[in-house]
Amino acid sequence: MKNVNELLERQKRFFYSEKTKTLDFRLQQLDKLKDMIANNEAKIMEALKKDLNKSEFEAFTTEIGFLYMELKEVRKKLRSWMEPEKVTNPITHKGAKSRIYKDPYGVALVIAPWNYPFQLALAPVIGAIAAGNCVILKPSELTPNVSRLLAELVAQYFNEEYFTVVEGAVKETQELLSSRVDYIFFTGSVRVGKIVMEKASKYLTPHTLELGGKSPTIVDHDANLEIAAKRIAWAKFTNAGQTCIAPDYLFVHEKVKEQFIDLLKKSTENLYGNALKNPDYGRIVSDGHYERLKSFLLHSKVLFGGNSEDKELIIEPTFLGDIGWDDPVMQEEIFGPLLPVLTFTSIETVIEQVRNHEKPLALYYFSESKEKQEKILTQLTFGGGCINDALFHIANPYLPFGGVGQSGTGAYHGKASFDTFTHQKSVVHQTTKFDFPFRYPGNKQGMKLIKKLMRP
């Protein structure tokens, strides 16, 4: 274990050297990061295979390729993002120039989760580097092969005083959170997110929390059912359902329930076949998570799937029926390949039931009705989502990604990542060529003029 206080002191000294604040330096570090990934794709895929049994397709599209897209967008726009932003002056500031300077925070702590252990570790780091910060990265101990690889590669490509990895579990995470870093970026569960926020409160450290929750997926009777089934099956069972924005439960209109469940079964079989024997279907990350998911099966009616392989920690894609809000599977985020199915006859009922629970990180609505699409978008609050698709919004670097309420605070991706790790420093450059006497007390005409200028 690295000495956290010494490491933090060294990174702060490097930050105060001013090296991280130039455009050239930031671009060089982003290029190093790209080279680190490109030169080690095979090793990254191997580590992901060992930890989560990710296929080459899934590892590249959801982890490696995602980072390439992010790096490309950030590198292309960074110069313009860094420029001080000129803003308009009111008449009271005549002669002055007002600007917003893009100021890095200093040392950023990034705490990564286990479900996309490479992508969700480095995507925030891209924003932190682009904004001119030093970085301490804490990978998840539940994916030890990826954690070890990240530590080795970052040490090979970067100076420790600028960007380093600290491995470990709860003890190491708590020590990092207790240190006086300048920004905390956490991705993980709501439970741990509350602990991070509590730790951050000691020094009022600014932070971003990317959490989760129960993300609803709604299929109305007028939806394109075949396309909806294919897209929902892909979104739900990618990474064996271990995705923070995966469809957590399904609301399907009573009129099309049987038809849609049949289409969903076919789509799932087409995508994953016999999942227990499919070498490219994901495994559950740990014994604890596996047993938690299996316990849900004991209290639910299985409509499809339900089989598991204890030795390999695999649970096949499973649909659950006769579900109520009081069932155990509806009490927390599932984070696995189980899809509870509920029915509805009125979209107003769906809106009411979603409102009665915590604001979700994602929401997906399938319908051809523009009117009902607008109703869902205006009457429900959620982090982000899709109309007639699922999961796909996360792949657009022009869309900020983040939660609301218990599903998270703050956002990132593309410019939002740069903004997250940047303090907007507002500065007035005042002229000395003249001075307004009315701004000072004791001026006879000052009050009259001030009222005239400042009143609506």
Side-chain angles (χ1 to χ4, degrees), residues 231-243:
R231 291 175 180 174
I232 291 170
W234 167 76
K236 176 61 182 178
F237 301 116
T238 290
N239 198 27
Q242 299 171 114
T243 305

Side-chain angles (χ1 to χ4, degrees), residues 216-233:
T217 299
I218 308 156
V219 178
D220 221 325
H221 66 87
D222 61 345
N224 184 320
L225 298 183
E226 273 195 47
I227 286 181
K230 186 189 299 183
R231 291 175 180 174
I232 291 170

Side-chain angles (χ1 to χ4, degrees), residues 248 250 257 261 293 296-306 317-323 327 329-330 334 337-342:
D248 190 88
L250 174 66
K257 177 188 173 185
I261 294 299
L293 291 168
F296 291 146
L297 295 173
L298 300 176
H299 302 91
S300 306
K301 178 184 176 181
V302 174
L303 301 177
F304 174 80
T318 299
F319 311 151
L320 305 175
D322 294 343
I323 295 295
D327 290 336
V329 75
M330 296 300 288
I334 295 169
L338 312 180
L339 183 63
V341 180
L342 298 86

Side-chain angles (χ1 to χ4, degrees), residues 32-92:
K32 275 188 188 180
L33 193 59
K34 182 182 71 174
D35 291 343
M36 184 187 89
I37 299 168
N39 295 337
N40 294 279
E41 282 188 10
K43 289 181 180 179
I44 297 163
M45 289 184 181
E46 181 184 3
L48 290 165
K49 186 73 174 176
K50 287 179 179 177
D51 284 335
L52 290 160
N53 198 41
K54 291 204 179 194
S55 66
E56 183 177 342
F57 174 81
E58 201 169 288
F60 187 84
T61 55
T62 66
E63 305 253 13
I64 297 170
F66 184 99
L67 293 172
Y68 286 149
M69 290 175 61
E70 188 79 2
L71 281 161
K72 183 179 179 181
E73 169 66 11
V74 170
R75 201 186 190 292
K76 184 170 65 175
K77 303 287 182 60
L78 184 55
R79 180 187 295 274
S80 63
W81 295 346
M82 287 176 61
E83 287 292 322
E85 182 182 341
K86 296 178 182 178
V87 297
T88 303
N89 283 320
I91 193 170
T92 52

Side-chain angles (χ1 to χ4, degrees), residues 84-133:
E85 182 182 341
K86 296 178 182 178
V87 297
T88 303
N89 283 320
I91 193 170
T92 52
H93 288 57
K94 191 170 180 62
K97 295 178 180 178
S98 297
R99 293 187 176 92
I100 301 170
Y101 289 84
K102 313 302 176 63
D103 212 22
Y105 281 101
V107 177
L109 170 61
V110 175
I111 303 175
W114 53 262
N115 57 328
Y116 292 87
F118 196 77
Q119 184 250 111
L120 290 178
L122 293 182
V125 170
I126 292 171
I129 288 175
N133 299 277

Side-chain angles (χ1 to χ4, degrees), residues 113-356:
W114 53 262
N115 57 328
Y116 292 87
F118 196 77
Q119 184 250 111
L120 290 178
L122 293 182
V125 170
I126 292 171
I129 288 175
N133 299 277
C134 296
V135 184
I136 300 173
L137 170 62
K138 167 61 181 66
S140 173
E141 69 276 12
L142 294 180
T143 46
N145 293 286
V146 173
S147 178
R148 193 178 310 115
L149 182 62
L150 278 166
E152 291 171 0
L153 293 181
V154 170
Q156 180 183 339
Y157 281 80
F158 295 91
N159 294 326
E160 186 179 63
E161 62 190 2
Y162 170 64
F163 175 24
T164 192
V165 171
V166 174
E167 291 191 275
V170 175
K171 177 187 173 185
E172 290 75 14
T173 303
Q174 288 181 338
E175 190 173 349
L176 287 165
L177 286 171
S178 297
S179 66
R180 196 156 191 178
V181 294
D182 299 296
Y183 199 93
I184 300 171
F185 190 104
F186 170 79
T187 306
S189 68
V190 174
R191 179 184 64 83
V192 181
K194 291 177 180 179
I195 296 171
V196 173
M197 180 176 273
E198 184 180 355
K199 291 284 190 180
S201 70
K202 181 179 180 181
Y203 298 117
L204 298 179
T205 306
H207 53 275
T208 294
L209 303 177
E210 294 295 342
L211 307 177
K214 298 190 74 63
S215 297
T217 299
I218 308 156
V219 178
D220 221 325
H221 66 87
D222 61 345
N224 184 320
L225 298 183
E226 273 195 47
I227 286 181
K230 186 189 299 183
R231 291 175 180 174
I232 291 170
W234 167 76
K236 176 61 182 178
F237 301 116
T238 290
N239 198 27
Q242 299 171 114
T243 305
C244 60
I245 54 170
D248 190 88
Y249 61 95
L250 174 66
F251 261 122
V252 59
H253 198 285
E254 188 69 50
K255 282 184 182 179
V256 296
K257 177 188 173 185
E258 299 303 326
Q259 181 187 358
F260 184 72
I261 294 299
D262 285 342
L263 289 169
L264 195 58
K265 289 177 182 177
K266 289 176 184 175
S267 292
T268 304
E269 288 171 341
N270 289 339
L271 289 173
Y272 301 102
N274 183 347
L276 298 185
K277 296 184 184 295
N278 183 345
D280 290 333
Y281 179 71
R283 65 185 284 273
I284 306 305
V285 71
S286 69
D287 292 332
H289 285 275
Y290 178 76
E291 293 301 328
R292 181 183 66 86
L293 291 168
K294 282 191 69 176
S295 72
F296 291 146
L297 295 173
L298 300 176
H299 302 91
S300 306
K301 178 184 176 181
V302 174
L303 301 177
F304 174 80
N307 298 308
S308 57
E309 173 54 63
D310 293 349
K311 185 179 178 183
E312 300 298 328
L313 302 184
I314 297 174
I315 299 175
E316 66 182 351
T318 299
F319 311 151
L320 305 175
D322 294 343
I323 295 295
W325 284 101
D326 293 330
D327 290 336
V329 75
M330 296 300 288
Q331 300 308 303
E332 59 184 273
E333 184 178 5
I334 295 169
F335 231 70
L338 312 180
L339 183 63
V341 180
L342 298 86
T343 58
F344 72 96
T345 55
S346 163
I347 197 65
E348 285 74 22
T349 302
V350 174
I351 290 170
E352 182 182 358
Q353 291 191 37
V354 173
R355 279 177 175 173
N356 286 338

